[in-house]
């Protein structure tokens, strides 16, 4: 199965560390997470409990976010936030260590909101430098840094694939970085008005990861209007070989009904 369950947005009725086992019980072999700790450098005990929850469940960790700040409070990353740059840098070795022990290779770095009182040029310079440092930090384990356009965050500057690709191109030009790629979240792109079909045609072979949810509502596939199945199939035809991240909102009892129907139809 090529799907990976985002356990930070799904199965939220359960404690965080019980969700990998619930994903396995639902028939999935892979999971991904937003940053699962309150700080950039959690204790060894906290890290061990998280890692054990993955390995004990018998699932593969396929993706992990760098610390993105207080997400419920509106933060969307520390990468381009000058005052919290040190927190992001301190997070890199922790993320790479978890990835190395669990065999995870994909690491999502949310770019960060625009900060009042900070020049956009300074934020973008800090962002490019921090992304290059993060990419170097995970390169030692064969990892890739992902950069994602996001919807629903008014101060977040990366809305379209072109926005993210422009930053990626800057990092590559400035630092010679090769292991940074676009995270194509079809829901975010569609909500922000991007032409998802064109993005796929032009960049599918270069996607670092795909995530899906339906529009409107950010619900499960089939609950809205997006042709997610067609987009996934076309991405595959054009060379994307990775997992499909399930990053939508749905109650636990119906979270994977669409997948059960799909398996039955096959």
């Amino acid at each position: 199965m090529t799907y990976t369950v985002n356990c930070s947005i799904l199965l939220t009725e359960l404690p965080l560390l019980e969700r990998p086992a619930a994903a396995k019980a639902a028939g999935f072999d892979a999971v991904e997470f937003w940053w699962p700790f309150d700080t950039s450098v959690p204790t060894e005990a906290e890290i061990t409990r998280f890692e054990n929850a993955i390995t004990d469940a018998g699932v593969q960790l396929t993706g992990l976010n760098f610390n993105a700040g207080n997400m419920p409070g509106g933060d969307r990353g520390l990468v381009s936030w000058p005052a919290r740059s040190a927190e992001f840098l301190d997070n890199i070795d922790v993320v790479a260590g978890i990835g190395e022990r669990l065999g995870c290779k994909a690491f999502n770095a949310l770019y960060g909101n625009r900060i009042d009182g900070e020049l956009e040029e300074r934020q973008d310079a800090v962002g490019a430098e921090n992304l290059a440092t993060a990419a170097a930090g995970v390169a030692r384990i064969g990892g890739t840094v992902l950069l994602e356009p996001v919807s629903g965050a008014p101060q977040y500057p990366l809305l379209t694939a072109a926005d993210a690709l422009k930053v990626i191109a800057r990092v590559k030009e400035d630092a010679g970085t090769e292991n940074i790629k676009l995270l194509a979240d079809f829901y975010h792109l569609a909500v922000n008005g991007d032409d998802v079909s064109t993005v796929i045609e032009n960049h599918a072979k270069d996607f670092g990861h795909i995530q899906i949810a339906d529009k409107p509502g950010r619900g499960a596939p089939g609950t809205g209007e997006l042709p997610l199945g067609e987009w996934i199939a076309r991405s595959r035809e054009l060379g994307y070989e990775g997992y499909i991240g399930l990053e939508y909102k749905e109650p636990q009892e119906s979270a994977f009904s669409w997948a059960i129907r799909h398996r039955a139809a096959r």
Side-chain angles (χ1 to χ4, degrees):
M1 184 177 292
T2 59
Y3 295 110
T4 180
V5 177
N6 190 299
C7 289
S8 295
I9 193 171
L10 281 164
L11 304 171
T12 55
E13 296 88 344
L14 299 172
L16 188 74
L17 299 186
E18 294 181 16
R19 297 174 199 172
K24 180 70 172 181
F28 296 91
D29 297 320
V31 297
E32 61 184 23
F33 279 84
W34 302 340
W35 185 241
F37 308 105
D38 293 331
T39 61
S40 285
V41 184
T43 66
E44 289 187 14
E46 289 174 317
I47 293 171
T48 297
R49 285 194 292 271
F50 174 72
E51 293 178 352
N52 286 347
I54 305 290
T55 56
D56 290 349
V59 293
Q60 175 63 50
L61 181 68
T62 60
L64 181 66
N65 283 22
F66 290 91
N67 184 12
N70 180 8
M71 293 274 285
D75 293 345
R76 289 297 182 271
L78 307 180
V79 169
S80 65
W81 192 341
R84 300 187 67 179
S85 183
E87 289 180 63
F88 178 76
L89 296 174
D90 288 344
N91 191 220
I92 295 171
D93 281 345
V94 183
V95 168
I98 294 171
E100 184 172 29
R101 289 185 293 274
L102 296 183
C104 178
K105 304 291 187 182
F107 307 99
N108 186 21
L110 288 177
Y111 192 69
N113 294 327
R114 290 305 190 196
I115 304 299
D116 293 340
E118 290 283 0
L119 293 175
E120 292 184 5
E121 292 82 359
R122 179 167 185 246
Q123 282 199 251
D124 290 337
V126 169
E129 183 176 342
N130 284 341
L131 285 169
T133 303
V138 302
R140 67 176 179 82
I141 63 166
T144 297
V145 170
L146 305 173
L147 190 64
E148 177 185 19
V150 168
S151 64
Q155 294 297 103
Y156 192 87
L158 308 185
L159 302 179
T160 66
D163 293 335
L165 290 167
K166 181 179 178 181
V167 174
I168 292 170
R170 175 176 179 169
V171 177
K172 289 183 176 181
E173 181 177 354
D174 290 354
T177 302
E178 294 297 331
N179 60 324
I180 178 170
K181 293 188 175 183
L182 175 68
L183 193 165
D185 185 308
F186 292 160
Y187 169 79
H188 287 313
L189 295 176
V191 167
N192 287 340
D194 215 344
D195 186 335
V196 179
S197 293
T198 298
V199 171
I200 292 169
E201 293 297 318
N202 293 336
H203 302 291
K205 68 181 183 302
D206 301 316
F207 288 168
H209 187 41
I210 291 173
Q211 290 176 331
I212 61 171
D214 217 332
K215 167 183 175 283
R218 202 176 186 180
T223 60
E225 63 191 34
L226 298 182
L228 296 171
E230 295 175 20
W231 286 344
I232 292 169
R234 186 57 177 156
S235 297
R236 295 275 189 225
E237 290 172 0
L238 294 173
Y240 178 72
E241 298 179 344
Y243 283 92
I244 307 298
L246 305 179
E247 196 186 56
Y248 55 82
K249 299 177 181 179
E250 195 73 29
Q252 182 180 356
E253 64 269 17
S254 57
F256 307 117
S257 298
W258 66 273
I260 295 169
R261 291 194 298 270
H262 179 69
R263 287 197 293 263
R266 295 176 62 185

